[in-house]
Structures are given as structure tokens and as C-alpha cells.
Amino acid sequence: MTAETVHADKLAAGDGPGARRREQRGWYFYDFANSVYSTSVITVFLGPYLTSVAREAADAQGFVHPLGIPVRAGSLYAYTISVSIVLAVLLMPFVGAIADRTGRKKPLLAASAYVGAAATAGMFFLDGDRYLLGAGLLIVANVALPVSSALYNAYLPEIAEPEERDRVSSRGWAFGYTSGAFVLVLNLVLYSGHDSFGVSQSTAVRICLASAGLWWGVFTVVPLRRLRDRRAAALAGHGERDLAPGASGAPRAGMAAGWRQLAGTLRDMRRHPLTLAFLLAYLIYNDGIQTVISQASVYGSDELGLGQSTLIVAVLLVQILAVAGALAMGRLARVYGSKRTVLASLGVWTLILVGGYFLPSKAPAWFFGLAAAIGLVLGGSQALSRSLFSHMVPAGKEAEYFSAYELSDRGLSWLGPLAFGLAYQLTGSYRVAIVSLLVFFVAGSVLLARVRVRQAVTEAGNAVPERI
């Protein structure tokens, strides 16, 4: 299917500028809905709280025993995150294949989003020594988020013309960082002033966790009302009988078709080596980005001797400046192209790591400066990467390819933390550990620079934007 055919099909389906803008505005709100989970739950509150709950249940040696397996209480959170990543890796390609096979991304998006939101809201009941409840809810929510994100991202090529995607993707990230910062401020007001609100510190944390789930669920209504499914290109030639939701055996046939299509997707992606090359580059440099974000608090507290309040303010600073950074980099991409802008952002990331290595201890102002630099490039580098990849996806295979994109985002996200941990274990220095992450940004930049983006877009059968 050519780019011209796809564009004609869109116009036939009523995808005029007004309809596109309406869907785009609805699409932004899924970033707005789910980013609170990443900020309040994963980045700030759940790790320390679940660890404290596990320690309440631990034996005299400090171990808990989920499924009879001895696990040190302090390691439970990290292991639970790892389990959730493995399960998400297994599930995402299957869901993506089903979505493209049936053309019904929206029901799958709704199901995964509300499963995740419900699991997060259920964290209100995580108290006492209920560490198994906390681990189970974390696994469910942390699987649901990437599954729903893959389906959400797959709408981008459908709702935005090639020339619009940098702007649309950047605005989505900006919406997400805005909501993350806003709710985190509210949560921190409750947490720091819990006595004046008449609740204990533990109850305040549980309210903060549950509020992220409620926020996720409430604002997911907006994209579900505005986004609409298109007939999947992969369905050409299939009769209505195959698609009827009430047909006998339809779920079983859909699942079998999904697995067959997944195998076909893996074969198909080998026919687009430049798209695969971009995914490899993204996997490497994004792993570095995610590791910097996840380990920054450890570096700040253990190496730089900064207090919890300083670290929380730094997280807020990142969230606020990421909004401006995502929008500013979206504008730069319109002038210089997405690839050049992403490469420039990776250069800034490299300077951030070098600066972090020389950061003086017990100096909050310098740490805030580093957080500001991270915020300015964080949203834009991720938003433009998403937009850039959307141009390289063959028509009708958006959900499958964006499942692969999410896999590259999360599937090997243990490599950066492993490098960080090994560097610390061998040297005993978090400064060496943080600078060891340079390899991810340097290698990712080299690989991205070698990707012939225009050729990749052409080989995918899509129109090449004037600036890319």
C-alpha cells in the first residue's frame, strides 16, 4: 500500500484537518492520564513504601518468601519491576498483532488502561505486611502501562500527517509532564502535611498511590471518546464473518491469528533493515536515559549526601522543565529535522553525565542545575524519537511495530542498571558508575547517525516530510 493510497483512504474516512485536530487533542490526554503513574508511583512513592511493607513481613534474617523463594526485603521492589518487564515483553507483541489484525485498537487500549488504573488504585489497600498484594498490583500495573502505551503510540501515524508528527508527539509528552508535575505537587502537599490533614504518613502515601490510579482512569475517558479505529490494512480480503465479534470461535481464531501475525511481523521487520537499525539505536540510548532517571536519586542521596526533600524538588523541576523542553525541541525539529535534533539532545545527555561526575557533594544548587538540564532534553528526546519512528512504520502495521518500539524501550532496560551496578560493585564509586553510562549515549549516537532516515521512510512506503 502506497503513501498516496493511505492518504486517500484517510480522506475517504473523513480524516479532514478538523477531525484530525479533534483526535489529536484527545490523543494528548492519554499521556496526561498515565504519566502520573510513572511520576508519583514509580519515581517517588512506591519503591520506598513497598520496601518498608516487605520489611514488616520479613523474618529475623531480613527475608520474605514469595512462593517459597527467599528474597531480601530490600530487593523485592527491583525484582518485581524485573518480573513485570519480562511479562510485558511477552504480552506486547501479541496484543499489537491482534490490534492490527482486527483494527480494534481502542477496546484493547481501554482494557489495558483500566486494568492498570484499577491495580494502581488498589494500592490504597497496601498496608501492614501485605507485600505480596503490593508486588502483585505493581506487576499488573507495570505490565498494563507499556501494553496500553504501545496501542496509544500506534495511533500517531493515523491522526497526524507526516509534517505534523513532531509537533503532535512533543505536545503529547508535554501534556504528560504537566500532569505528572501537577499531581506530584498535590501529593507532596498531602505527604508533608499529613498531620494537618488528620492522616498518618502511611495513609498519606496510600492516598497518593491510589490517586494516581484514579487520575489514570478518569482522564483515559477523553482519548477513548475522541480516538476512532480504522479498518486495518491487514484485513483486506477478509470477510465480515471473520470479523464478527459474536461469531463462534472468534476469540480463539483471533488469538491464533495474532500469534501467526506476530511471527510474520518479525519476518517483515527483517525486510526493513533501516527501521531495525533505528530501533537498535533507540534501544541503546534510551536505556541510558532511563538509567539516569532511575538512578539519579540513589546518586544524589548516597554519593552527594542530599536529603529527601532536595531530591523531590529536583524531580519536580525535571517534570516542569520537561514540558518546555519537549515543546522547544519540537520547534527545533521543524527547522533542523528530527534526527539532527535528537542527535543534539544526545550530545547534551553526554555533557550531563560528565557534569554529574564532577558535581560537588552537599551542593543542592548544582544538583538542581543538573536536574534542569535533564528536564530540558528528557521530553524532547523521547517525543522526537517516537515521531521519527512513526515515519518508518509500514501502513497497517502500526500497533505491531509500536509494540516492537515499546519492547526496545523496556525489554532490555536492565542493561543500563546492570552496567551502573557493576561499575559500582567493582569501584565502590557512584561517580564511576554514573559516568559508565556514557557508552550508551555515545554508541546510540553513532548508530543513529548511520541510519538513512529518508530511505527508511521511503522503503516503508510513506511520504517523506520536507524536514526529518
Side-chain angles (χ1 to χ4, degrees), residues 282-283 286-287 290 382 404-413:
Y282 177 73
L283 181 153
N286 188 62
D287 198 4
Q290 296 302 323
Q382 293 175 318
Y405 180 84
E406 286 291 319
L407 287 176
S408 69
D409 189 353
R410 303 173 188 271
L412 291 180
S413 57

Side-chain angles (χ1 to χ4, degrees), residues 37 84 87 112 115-116 118-119 135-146 216:
Y37 169 82
S84 70
L87 292 176
S112 54
V115 165
L137 292 174
L138 173 57
I139 288 172
V140 172
N142 226 40
V143 170
L145 178 64
W216 187 355

Side-chain angles (χ1 to χ4, degrees), residues 103-117:
R104 294 170 181 155
K105 289 192 288 291
K106 190 156 72 170
L108 292 169
L109 172 61
S112 54
Y114 280 109
V115 165

Side-chain angles (χ1 to χ4, degrees), residues 47 50-52 54-55 58 62-64 71-79:
L50 181 57
T51 300
S52 69
R55 284 177 176 148
F63 286 85
V64 291
V71 173
R72 194 174 293 278
S75 299
L76 178 71
Y77 180 70
Y79 288 151

